Structures are given as C-alpha cells and as structure tokens.
Amino acid sequence: MKKLVSAPALFLWAGAFLIVGLLLAFWWAPVDASAMGFSQKIFYYHAPIAETSLVGFGVAFAAAVMYLRTQDLKWDRLGYVSVRLGLLFAVLVMFTGMIWGKSSWGVWWAWEPRLTTFLLVCFLYAAYFVLRSVVEEEQRRATYAAVFAVIAFIDVPITWFATRLIPEGLHPVVFKAGDTGMEGSMFASFMISMIGMTLLLAALIRHGWQIELLKDRVTDLKSILGG
Amino acid sequence: MSGWGQIGAILRKDLIRELRTRDMLVSMALFALLAMVIFHWAFTVRGDTDLTYFTGGMLWVTFVFAMLLGLNRSFAQEKDEHCLDGLLLCPVDRVTIFLAKTVGNLVFLLIIQAVAVPVFVLFFVEGGFLEGLPAFLAVLLLADLGICALGTLLATISMNTRSRDLLLPILFLPLIVPLLVAATSATTLVLADGAGVREIGGRLLFMLGFDAVFLVVAWGTYDFAIGE
C-alpha cells in the first residue's frame, strides 16, 4: 500500500489517468452538439486545471493556518510549494481559457467572471511571491506569507461572486445545479482527467515539499559544520 | 483603561499628530482633486462626451489611490520615529491597535471625501444628487470601511518589509477588487440612473458581507501582522 502512494508512484498514477482521460476525451466522448463543437475538447483539460489550481491554493490556506498555529517552518515550506504550483496552474487556466475563448467566442479575451477571477488570482498570488522576497527574516517572512495566503484564499470566492454581479453570460455553464449537463461518456472522461490532474498536483506538491525540507536540512547541517 | 478608552487614546494621538502637520490630509485632498481633473481630460474624447456612466469608476479609483497615499504615510511616521515600538510596549491589546488605526484611517478618508465629493458632484453630476443622497452615503460608508480595514492590515505588513510603500498597492489592489466592483456599479447606478437604496440593496449587502469577513480576518491575524 505504501508503495502505491510513494512519490514516483503518484507521478505514474497521475500520468496514467491523464493519458486515459485524454484518449477517452477524444475517442469516446462525443463531439459537443452545441456551436462549440470540437473545440469543446479543451474543456477536459481546462476545467481540471482550474480545479487543481484552486486545490493548490486550498492546500496553501490549510498550511498557512497550520503555520500560524504551530510556528513550524515545515508548514511554511508546504504553503510556498502549493502557492507556486497553484499559480502555475492558474496561468495555464488563463492560456487554455484564452485558446478556448478564441475558438468558441472568436476573441482571445473576454471579461467573463471566471476568467476575470483567475486573472485576479494570478495577480494575488504573484503578490505573495513579491511579499516573500522583501522580508529577510525567516520566521517573519513565513508569518506574513501565511497571513497573506489566508486573506487571498478567502478573497477568491468573493471576487468570483463580485464579478458575477455584473450581468454576463458568455461562459458555457457545463455544470448546473441538479443536472450535470453532460452525457455519461463526457462526464466519465472529464472525471478521469480531473482525478489525473489532482494526482499530478499531489505528486508535484509532495516532491517540491521534500526538496524544500531537504534544502532546510542542508542549511542546518552547513551552519552546524561552519559554526 | 477600558478597550474603548484605549482606542480613543490612540485615535486622539493620531488625529493630533496629523492636525499639527496636516501633510497627509493636504496631499490626499490635493491628489483627489487632481485625479478628478485628470479623469475629466482622460475620458472626454469629444466635446459632448457624457461622463455620467464613468462617475462610479472615477470616484472609487480616486479614493482608493488617495487612501494608498494616506496608508503609507500613516505607518511610515510610526516606523520612522519608532512610535510603533512605544505603542507596542504599552499594555494594549494588538486588536485594539488595529481598531484604532482602522478608525483613524476611516476618519482621514471621510475628511478627504467631505472635501472631494462636493467638488466631484459639481464637476460630473448633473442634478438629482440630493434624492440619491441616502443611497450614495450608504455606499460610501460601506466601501470606506472595507478599504480601511483591509488597508490597515496590509499597510501594517508592508511597513515591516524592505520595500515598504512599494509593496502596499501590489497586495492591496487585487484584494480590494470585489469591493470596488460593487461600490463602482452601485455608485454609478445611483448617480447615473437615480437608483435608490432598494435597487442597490444586493450590492450594499455584498459590501456589508465583505466588510464583515475582512474585519474578522484582520481581527484574527493582526497579532501576526504587527510583529513582536
């Protein structure tokens, strides 16, 4: 069991799910009946990436709370790695969203609530790194980063809600309450891609976190040897 | 001294200090007035351009940037003269400091608005302002509260970093966007379409929620932000 969830195994699981999801999305799920047609296939990547990005920020939020409670720097490292990956995925959301937008709405950019929210999310979490870079003292940097990660994560749903206040209807609402709006084969392919992407995030966070902890250990050992 | 007494004492200190020099208030007010003039020229593409639908945007961009000036200033003084160390040595709860600072910034912003809003109305609003006054004031107070609460927390963080005032806009602006969206559209509805409190009720409620959430968050995290 332990081997099945080790770091390399997680990568393998993620890869397997993502490849199967890709194959199913293109060969099993039908071409979308609406005007979006074939371009809807990008949805099997776009939406899981978006979900994964938010999961990354969620992990960072949890790590920030843990850090503020325990003052243990290992949680700061987890938060740092999660925000880094969340931001990477958020940037990918922007790119895949723009490609989809161009093919289905005919424009590269539309001020649509979800896309706008992700743009702001990118700015927010870019600021997280600016904040980290201007505080020298280790413990204080971790504290400020944690406080900001908490505020930023709370702000994300509020931003999404606010951008919806302005009436807009461009984004294809694929999930509606009580009705998934998708055929079974589409839904299954989508879920497999989603699980694959989430596993990829888990593997990357785990890997990155281990590297950060090793770096800390090296620094500690160096100071012991040098001092 | 009770909690309210402590808040009052810190607030009185900040007000007295500011009224002696007045450099923060004067720069904020001048900035706000200048911004309006600049906006007029920036948006008037033709002689007969109707600026009514830009009013909400102009107003809130002006106040948010004016507040950024003020926030940086209010904490720079504390830091430069080591007043903050003194304040932290006092037997005062950190949350009390946060509340006093927030109220102080709110008072400064309201003073600026008392000067800038009449001029704004004179420049850009074509009559009917008094009917919309209750709705307008409701938007003003709710948005101000959110700006000051979040601004005070983030200014405290940025003041303790190497880049200080450079950092504040980068942290503050993306976080304040939801409040700005609501405040801007509500203000424009009031000033351009003559909407009353009822028509913008949803937006007011949203702003109230935003204020409540970030007051609670700031309350919970200010201890960490201000440092030891």
Side-chain angles (χ1 to χ4, degrees):
Chain A
M1 183 62 202
K2 208 165 182 196
K3 258 197 170 155
L4 286 177
V5 292
S6 69
L10 267 180
F11 277 111
L12 287 179
W13 279 116
F17 271 98
L18 283 174
I19 290 168
V20 172
L22 182 75
L23 293 175
L24 289 180
F26 276 92
W27 275 285
W28 186 43
V31 172
D32 194 71
S34 75
M36 284 185 285
F38 192 72
S39 74
Q40 183 264 350
K41 296 285 185 201
I42 199 173
F43 163 75
Y44 297 105
Y45 270 78
H46 175 67
I49 290 173
E51 172 263 348
T52 309
S53 162
L54 294 178
V55 171
F57 296 134
V59 173
F61 173 78
V65 173
M66 283 309 290
Y67 175 76
L68 292 176
R69 287 174 67 110
T70 61
Q71 304 285 312
D72 185 341
L73 278 174
K74 78 176 181 197
W75 297 116
D76 174 61
R77 303 302 187 245
L78 176 61
Y80 170 68
V81 170
S82 311
V83 171
R84 194 172 58 188
L85 291 166
L87 184 58
L88 175 70
F89 279 84
V91 172
L92 285 174
V93 173
M94 307 291 305
F95 277 109
T96 52
M98 277 162 72
I99 294 170
W100 196 4
K102 178 64 184 169
S103 65
S104 62
W105 308 327
V107 285
W108 286 108
W109 182 260
W111 290 99
E112 183 279 329
R114 273 173 265 190
L115 215 49
T116 313
T117 305
F118 264 99
L119 178 66
L120 279 162
V121 164
C122 289
F123 282 124
L124 258 180
Y125 284 97
Y128 175 89
F129 288 101
V130 179
L131 174 61
R132 285 190 80 97
S133 71
V134 293
V135 189
E136 262 109 61
E137 199 193 325
E138 189 88 58
Q139 215 77 33
R140 177 168 278 194
R141 173 170 58 212
T143 307
Y144 287 173
V147 170
F148 191 73
V150 169
I151 305 174
F153 189 66
I154 293 171
D155 201 65
V156 173
I158 301 180
T159 306
W160 177 76
F161 191 74
T163 45
R164 290 221 52 153
L165 271 180
I166 303 172
E168 278 267 17
L170 266 182
H171 205 106
V173 179
V174 183
F175 289 113
K176 288 188 209 104
D179 158 38
T180 59
M182 280 197 283
E183 277 185 43
S185 59
M186 288 170 119
F187 186 70
S189 316
F190 169 72
M191 283 315 284
I192 289 172
S193 293
M194 185 119 119
I195 293 169
M197 205 61 84
T198 312
L199 283 171
L200 180 65
L201 178 82
L204 285 170
I205 286 183
R206 192 181 165 143
H207 190 61
W209 194 17
Q210 275 169 346
I211 292 177
E212 290 299 322
L213 292 178
L214 277 176
K215 273 192 203 161
D216 283 352
R217 191 156 159 66
V218 170
T219 318
D220 287 349
L221 288 174
K222 267 186 187 165
S223 70
I224 291 171
L225 287 174
Chain B
M1 203 186 271
S2 71
W4 292 110
Q6 291 171 337
I7 292 178
I10 299 176
L11 187 60
R12 194 159 58 240
K13 166 195 81 87
D14 281 351
L15 288 177
I16 289 173
R17 191 196 58 198
E18 180 51 35
L19 290 178
R20 272 196 198 136
T21 59
R22 287 192 207 94
D23 41 359
M24 187 169 119
L25 282 176
V26 171
S27 348
M28 279 170 81
L30 278 178
F31 173 85
L33 297 178
L34 273 170
M36 287 173 194
V37 177
I38 304 259
F39 276 140
H40 173 258
W41 293 115
F43 291 145
T44 309
V45 263
R46 289 200 320 255
D48 59 345
T49 309
D50 180 14
L51 292 183
T52 325
Y53 282 95
F54 295 105
T55 42
M58 289 195 280
L59 198 71
W60 288 108
V61 170
T62 302
F63 289 143
V64 163
F65 281 92
M67 199 58 217
L68 276 174
L69 279 184
L71 283 168
N72 274 324
R73 191 77 204 145
S74 74
F75 281 100
Q77 284 169 340
E78 294 275 15
K79 197 74 181 165
D80 288 341
E81 309 294 334
H82 296 285
C83 297
L84 194 69
D85 297 337
L87 202 57
L88 287 176
L89 283 174
C90 296
V92 178
D93 205 0
R94 302 287 196 259
V95 171
T96 310
I97 300 181
F98 166 72
L99 287 178
K101 282 282 168 193
T102 304
V103 175
N105 286 323
L106 187 63
V107 170
F108 291 139
L109 185 56
L110 285 172
I111 293 175
I112 300 306
Q113 286 169 337
V115 179
V117 168
V119 180
F120 183 83
V121 173
L122 176 76
F123 281 175
F124 300 112
V125 183
E126 295 169 356
F129 177 71
L130 287 179
E131 287 92 87
L133 197 59
F136 181 81
L137 286 180
V139 177
L140 200 74
L141 283 175
L142 286 175
D144 284 2
L145 187 61
I147 289 173
C148 290
L150 201 53
T152 305
L153 173 66
L154 294 172
T156 311
I157 290 181
S158 61
M159 142 194 96
N160 278 318
T161 67
R162 182 154 43 86
S163 61
R164 285 206 184 177
D165 40 351
L166 272 178
L167 185 63
L168 182 61
I170 300 174
L171 299 182
F172 180 65
L173 292 176
L175 284 169
I176 205 76
V177 165
L179 189 69
L180 269 187
V181 170
T184 304
S185 68
T187 309
T188 306
L189 282 175
V190 172
L191 294 182
D193 296 338
V197 175
R198 191 171 304 170
E199 283 92 336
I200 58 165
R203 287 167 173 80
L204 290 178
L205 215 60
F206 174 81
M207 290 198 282
L208 191 67
F210 184 95
D211 294 354
V213 166
F214 282 103
L215 272 173
V216 170
V217 171
W219 188 298
T221 55
Y222 200 69
D223 232 357
F224 300 109
I226 202 160
E228 54 287 330

